[in-house]
């Protein structure tokens, strides 16, 4: 009996040891796979970024509006842009007409506010003055000028550089923008860009992994097609070196 009990205990110990080793191997492989997947997903972020979307958009109040951190403010901004677009595009209002109507409504409101005290026999109330600070216009002009200069500098660098791939991408992008501009006017293009800026970032933040995987598949297909184009056409184009002429 003791020998049978000892053998049975010994077999149980061996089976427990084997099951523990198998479970450890499975857990280790699972964690290694999870780690490799996390590293791969971190490596395949869109455009190789390593910072969150909120930080890339500036990390301030503008980023909060674009990512709908405060739904009331974001919805109000998008609704205001939609109202402006409807007034100009669907109702065919002109900018000068709309400005004059707004000024007339403001003057009527101030007129009623100023004269309501005498009608209601109350003490005259002080009408608030609307004053726009000069720093706002100066900052807007500086920001617009800096962005325009940066865009022109980028286009000149691409045109004068030797990166054929970047040159073709920029030319194709401008060609697509020209086609879109022929379909609709400038106001509609601005509205489409405004709506895209208020919807695409938040959708990308919520479905980040799926979008990154899809975009990288598309980019890989484009690289494959570009390699074929480069091997068949672009590599046969003679590349001449530009040399500056010395002044006599």
């Amino acid at each position: 009996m003791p020998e049978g009990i000892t053998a049975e205990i010994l077999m149980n110990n061996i089976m427990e040891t084997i099951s523990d080793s198998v479970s450890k191997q499975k857990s280790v492989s699972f964690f290694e796979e999870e780690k490799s997947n996390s590293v791969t997903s971190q490596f395949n972020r869109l455009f190789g970024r390593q910072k969150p979307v909120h930080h890339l958009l500036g990390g301030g109040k503008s980023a909060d509006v674009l990512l709908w951190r405060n739904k009331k403010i974001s919805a109000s901004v998008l609704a205001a842009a939609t109202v402006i677009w409807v007034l100009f595009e669907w109702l065919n209002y002109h900018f000068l007409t709309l400005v004059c109507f707004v000024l007339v409504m403001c003057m009527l409101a101030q007129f009623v506010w100023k004269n309501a005290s005498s009608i209601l026999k109350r003490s005259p109330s002080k009408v608030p003055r609307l004053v726009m600070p000069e720093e706002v216009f100066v900052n807007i002009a500086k920001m617009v000028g800096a962005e325009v200069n940066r865009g022109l500098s980028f286009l000149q660098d691409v045109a004068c550089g030797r990166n054929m791939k970047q040159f073709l991408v920029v030319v194709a992008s401008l060609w697509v923008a020209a086609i879109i501009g022929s379909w609709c006017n400038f106001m509609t293009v601005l509205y489409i860009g405004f709506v895209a800026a208020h919807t695409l970032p938040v959708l990308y933040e919520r479905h980040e992994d799926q979008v990154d995987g899809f975009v990288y598949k598309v980019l890989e297909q484009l690289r494959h097609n570009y390699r074929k184009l480069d091997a068949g056409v672009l590599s046969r184009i003679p590349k001449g070196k530009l040399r500056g002429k010395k002044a006599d």
Side-chain angles (χ1 to χ4, degrees):
M1 276 306 282
E3 292 179 357
I5 295 175
T6 304
E8 185 178 357
I9 294 174
L10 181 60
M11 290 298 295
N12 290 332
N13 292 334
I14 292 173
M15 294 300 295
E16 289 178 359
T17 304
I18 294 174
S19 62
D20 292 339
S21 63
V22 171
S23 62
K24 287 180 180 179
Q25 289 179 358
K26 289 183 178 180
S27 62
V28 169
S29 62
F30 173 76
F31 285 119
E32 287 179 353
E33 184 179 359
E34 185 179 0
K35 183 178 180 181
S36 62
N37 291 332
S38 63
V39 171
T40 304
S41 62
Q42 186 177 4
F43 178 75
N44 288 332
R45 290 304 179 192
L46 192 60
F47 304 119
R49 64 174 184 84
Q50 296 180 353
K51 297 179 181 179
V53 180
H54 188 270
H55 189 275
L56 294 178
L57 294 176
K61 294 182 178 180
S62 59
D64 294 338
V65 173
L66 294 177
L67 294 176
W68 292 73
R69 295 290 190 266
N70 191 333
K71 295 182 179 180
K72 292 183 179 179
I73 297 177
S74 300
S76 301
V77 172
L78 189 58
T82 304
V83 169
I84 293 173
W85 180 73
V86 168
L87 287 175
F88 283 109
E89 292 301 319
W90 283 11
L91 302 181
N92 293 325
Y93 273 88
H94 298 284
F95 181 73
L96 182 60
T97 305
L98 187 61
V99 169
C100 292
F101 281 165
V102 171
L103 292 177
V104 168
M105 295 299 294
C106 292
M107 291 180 64
L108 287 175
Q110 290 189 345
F111 179 80
V112 172
W113 191 334
K114 184 67 177 177
N115 295 281
S117 58
S118 60
I119 297 175
L120 299 175
K121 296 180 180 181
R122 294 181 179 179
S123 59
S125 59
K126 185 178 180 180
V127 179
R129 295 289 180 176
L130 180 61
V131 179
M132 297 294 292
E134 297 180 358
E135 292 79 6
V136 174
F137 300 100
V138 173
N139 293 332
I140 292 176
K142 288 182 178 180
M143 181 179 64
V144 173
E147 293 297 329
V148 170
N149 290 329
R150 187 169 66 176
L152 293 176
S153 177
F154 172 74
L155 293 178
Q156 290 176 351
D157 292 339
V158 172
C160 298
R162 297 181 180 179
N163 192 343
M164 181 63 69
K165 180 180 178 180
Q166 189 179 25
F167 179 78
L168 292 176
V169 169
V170 173
V171 171
S173 301
L174 293 175
W175 180 65
V176 172
I179 293 177
I180 295 175
S182 64
W183 293 342
C184 50
N185 55 16
F186 185 68
M187 177 63 70
T188 304
V189 173
L190 284 180
Y191 177 70
I192 293 173
F194 192 83
V195 173
H198 280 75
T199 53
L200 295 182
V202 64
L203 291 177
Y204 173 71
E205 188 182 37
R206 293 179 180 179
H207 308 282
E208 194 170 358
D209 296 333
Q210 293 84 349
V211 174
D212 288 341
F214 175 75
V215 169
Y216 269 90
K217 289 180 181 179
V218 174
L219 291 178
E220 187 62 31
Q221 185 65 32
L222 291 177
R223 291 192 192 100
H224 180 67
N225 295 332
Y226 176 78
R227 292 191 199 100
K228 290 184 178 180
L229 180 64
D230 189 20
V233 180
L234 298 180
S235 61
R236 299 179 182 179
I237 299 176
K239 297 180 181 179
K241 296 182 179 180
L242 298 177
R243 295 181 180 178
K245 296 182 179 180
K246 296 182 179 179
D248 296 336

